[in-house]
Amino acid sequence: MKKIGFLLVLCFVFSLLTAFEHQDKLEITDTEITVIQSEGILRYDFKIKNTGEATIESDFDYPGQHPFGIEFIVQPNEKLSEVMIMEEHTNYKKMLPLGSGHAGFFEPNVEMPVYLEYKIKDDVNPEEVKELAYDASLLILDGVDITVKFPLQELQEQLSN
């Protein structure tokens, strides 16, 4: 019985070490933030480059029929979450998503466009939202695991230099 438990823990640790093993090869090369006032949308457009030599794709597997694969989300910090409509009944800070688009994998030496849209509260100044949009992090998930976290404030500083 102890051997089975040890093997299960070993398999779990091995899967964590091998899943999405090339995340250090991902680099955000450009970002654009747009506030669409008429529709109450905060839109993020990113270009993410795989600087490695191999395709990066999801290794996530589970017993269901619809694997999650690679997912992108912008996770707000405190100030941004105050001006956005947030999802309820969750332990995580999640802005209400309105749309997204991406290829779901990263070809070597190719910039992949990613866009994410979230709902702004009705009574908020759009200029304030645009100023606070970098008070967040871009998370890249493989299934339920966060594989890469890009703090947007740091990204803004790097791209402006």
Side-chain angles (χ1 to χ4, degrees):
M1 208 45 138
K2 288 183 182 179
K3 287 182 182 179
I4 292 173
F6 176 74
L7 287 174
L8 288 173
V9 169
L10 188 60
C11 288
F12 176 73
V13 169
F14 180 73
S15 71
L16 287 177
L17 294 175
T18 59
F20 213 78
E21 62 190 56
H22 302 288
Q23 69 264 24
D24 60 331
K25 303 289 185 201
L26 296 178
E27 172 185 303
I28 297 179
T29 58
D30 192 24
T31 185
E32 184 176 334
I33 294 175
T34 308
V35 174
I36 306 168
Q37 183 175 357
S38 62
E39 298 179 35
I41 293 174
L42 171 59
R43 179 180 169 120
Y44 292 88
D45 286 280
F46 299 101
K47 288 187 182 171
I48 303 173
K49 184 175 183 180
N50 173 2
T51 61
E53 296 181 14
T55 299
I56 299 174
E57 54 191 351
S58 177
D59 292 332
F60 184 72
D61 191 15
Y62 78 119
Q65 297 297 320
H66 305 286
F68 295 105
I70 295 176
E71 181 180 3
F72 299 84
I73 63 163
V74 174
Q75 184 178 50
N77 292 329
E78 192 63 37
K79 290 179 182 177
L80 180 59
S81 66
E82 291 173 4
V83 297
M84 302 299 295
I85 295 180
M86 303 297 291
E87 288 193 19
E88 297 177 3
H89 311 294
T90 178
N91 293 326
Y92 301 93
K93 281 188 176 181
K94 297 180 189 179
M95 296 184 289
L96 182 65
L98 295 177
S100 65
H102 57 85
F105 59 93
F106 301 93
E107 291 289 336
N109 294 306
V110 173
E111 285 184 330
M112 180 182 72
V114 174
Y115 81 87
L116 304 162
E117 296 179 339
Y118 297 97
K119 184 67 177 157
I120 301 170
K121 288 182 179 177
D122 289 334
D123 59 346
V124 176
N125 180 341
E127 290 303 316
E128 181 183 6
V129 174
K130 192 158 187 169
E131 288 176 20
L132 295 173
Y134 285 97
D135 183 44
S137 295
L138 173 65
L139 305 180
I140 302 177
L141 293 89
D142 184 8
V144 296
D145 297 320
I146 298 171
T147 58
V148 184
K149 180 176 182 176
F150 292 105
L152 296 184
Q153 192 67 45
E154 292 175 20
L155 177 67
Q156 180 186 29
E157 293 167 7
Q158 289 172 358
L159 293 175
S160 65
N161 292 332

